[in-house]
Amino acid sequence: MQSTEEDARPASLARPRALRPGDKVAVLSMSSPADLPALDVGLDALRFAGLDPVVYPSARDRGSLRSYLAGDDAMRVADLRSALTDPDIAGIIFATGGSGSQRTLEALDLQSIPAGPPKVLAGYSDVTAALEAVASRLGWASLHSPMVCSDGASAHYSFGSMLRTLMHPEQAMELTFPGATTIRGGRATGVTRGGNITLLSASVGTDTSWPADGAILLVEDVDEETYRLDRMLTQLRRSGYLRGVAGIVAGTFAGCGDPAEVQAILTERLGSLGVPMIAWANIGHGGYTQAFPIGIAAELDADAGTLRLLDPPLLPARPD
């Protein structure tokens, strides 16, 4: 029987419900300590949006084990497990990134999480590891987005993009990147995935890595030397992670040196894969960053600098 265009359309992962006013959302860290003043501002913003943030101990821990970790592994695992399994918690918006998510995932047995409706996880940077993990082990879609501790002049834009996707997903079906550069033109269809290059390369070889076969892949990073970007991208190539990738969205690379050199490395290491690719999309660290759904069927138009989702990133909110 001849296949139809619908048959060939990639399938999104299991989509969580959108959030609605009054929903309880977990705020925790699976990585580093949060900046407390920024945390308090972010919590107020969530409340103004109508959400009810539930602050877990890891969100306010000041580095009781090591300065770069929010609490010990047991605290972070307990917080994340509780948020994933508590039926009163509608979703998780991470307080901050940093470092430590790989330790948290090592100590957390995701397969022991009871089966149930998926919950949305929202975050980026070090949280990339968690977004990969719930995709590969639980089959859940999620949101690569700003976190509670968003600050700076662009925080209002970035926080607004996150809240729009979490609470009004039907309004977040197309992402436009007017400042993007086309590295290789064309269109590609696939399932969105990826995130921070450091975390993607660190997960290779683990049971939570989610390789890019059939993907519209996001890559971004911050404060990395260009030789390190080159090495991590080469690791993704050599490991087979990039085999079968359908298209690439390279985001921001704040603090990574000369933009011309960064673009040359991206072009040489990723453009040579021969798939549609854009660079400098406003996703990731620094500036006016957009929320990027993970695990959703989408079409990348590299010439126009747009990403069109083929499904809403979240299901409609549950009825009252």
Side-chain angles (χ1 to χ4, degrees):
M1 182 169 58
Q2 196 171 31
S3 63
T4 66
E5 183 177 341
E6 185 68 22
D7 294 331
R9 180 177 178 269
S12 298
L13 297 186
R15 289 173 292 157
R17 292 278 182 188
L19 302 180
R20 61 177 184 172
D23 276 347
K24 293 183 181 295
V25 291
V27 176
L28 57 90
S29 177
M30 65 181 294
S31 306
S32 293
D35 177 271
L36 295 185
L39 177 68
D40 287 335
V41 171
L43 292 171
D44 279 344
L46 293 178
R47 295 185 187 106
F48 283 137
L51 299 173
D52 182 8
V54 179
V55 182
Y56 284 67
S58 59
R60 293 198 178 277
D61 186 273
R62 302 310 304 139
S64 52
L65 175 67
R66 292 198 177 90
S67 61
Y68 56 86
L69 294 174
D72 58 17
D73 295 348
M75 173 188 286
R76 298 192 309 282
V77 168
D79 284 0
L80 184 54
R81 178 182 293 279
S82 175
L84 289 170
T85 58
D86 185 341
D88 291 332
I89 296 295
I92 301 169
I93 305 176
F94 288 90
T96 191
S99 181
S101 64
Q102 297 284 359
R103 290 179 60 126
T104 306
L105 290 174
E106 180 187 28
L108 173 69
D109 180 9
L110 276 172
Q111 293 306 107
S112 70
I113 302 297
K119 296 183 182 186
V120 63
L121 278 66
Y124 77 119
S125 193
D126 204 54
V127 175
T128 293
L131 307 185
E132 272 201 303
V134 298
S136 63
R137 305 302 291 172
L138 302 179
W140 295 3
S142 58
L143 188 62
H144 181 281
S145 78
M147 296 175 280
V148 180
C149 290
S150 290
D151 55 11
S154 62
H156 56 290
Y157 175 97
S158 304
F159 216 81
S161 175
M162 175 187 71
L163 288 173
R164 180 185 70 165
T165 309
L166 287 173
M167 302 184 77
H168 304 285
E170 73 284 354
Q171 298 177 15
M173 294 286 290
E174 183 162 329
L175 283 69
T176 61
F177 311 111
T181 297
T182 300
I183 302 299
R184 187 180 179 92
R187 295 190 179 192
T189 302
V191 175
T192 56
R193 68 192 71 176
N196 183 267
I197 295 173
T198 299
L199 274 297
L200 296 177
S201 61
S203 289
V204 167
T206 72
D207 65 353
T208 58
S209 181
W210 192 31
D213 186 23
I216 303 296
L217 180 70
L218 168 68
V219 290
E220 64 86 33
D221 222 310
V222 64
D223 295 336
E224 288 290 353
E225 298 286 348
T226 49
Y227 76 88
R228 288 177 54 84
L229 290 175
D230 188 308
R231 183 169 64 200
M232 289 185 288
L233 291 170
T234 302
Q235 160 70 356
L236 294 178
R237 288 173 63 103
R238 295 187 66 211
S239 68
Y241 177 92
L242 294 170
R243 189 174 300 120
V245 65
I248 297 171
V249 176
T252 57
F253 288 84
C256 292
D258 178 9
E261 186 177 5
V262 171
Q263 183 168 317
I265 292 169
L266 292 171
T267 301
E268 192 264 328
R269 293 283 77 193
L270 297 177
S272 62
L273 296 172
V275 300
M277 176 180 170
I278 61 174
W280 309 113
N282 58 320
I283 305 172
H285 294 78
Y288 295 81
T289 184
Q290 295 190 64
F292 182 90
I294 297 291
I296 303 298
E299 181 185 63
L300 171 66
D301 184 334
D303 296 297
T306 62
L307 182 78
R308 181 174 63 91
L309 303 182
L310 304 182
D311 291 312
L314 299 170
L315 296 173
R318 68 184 189 278
D320 290 324

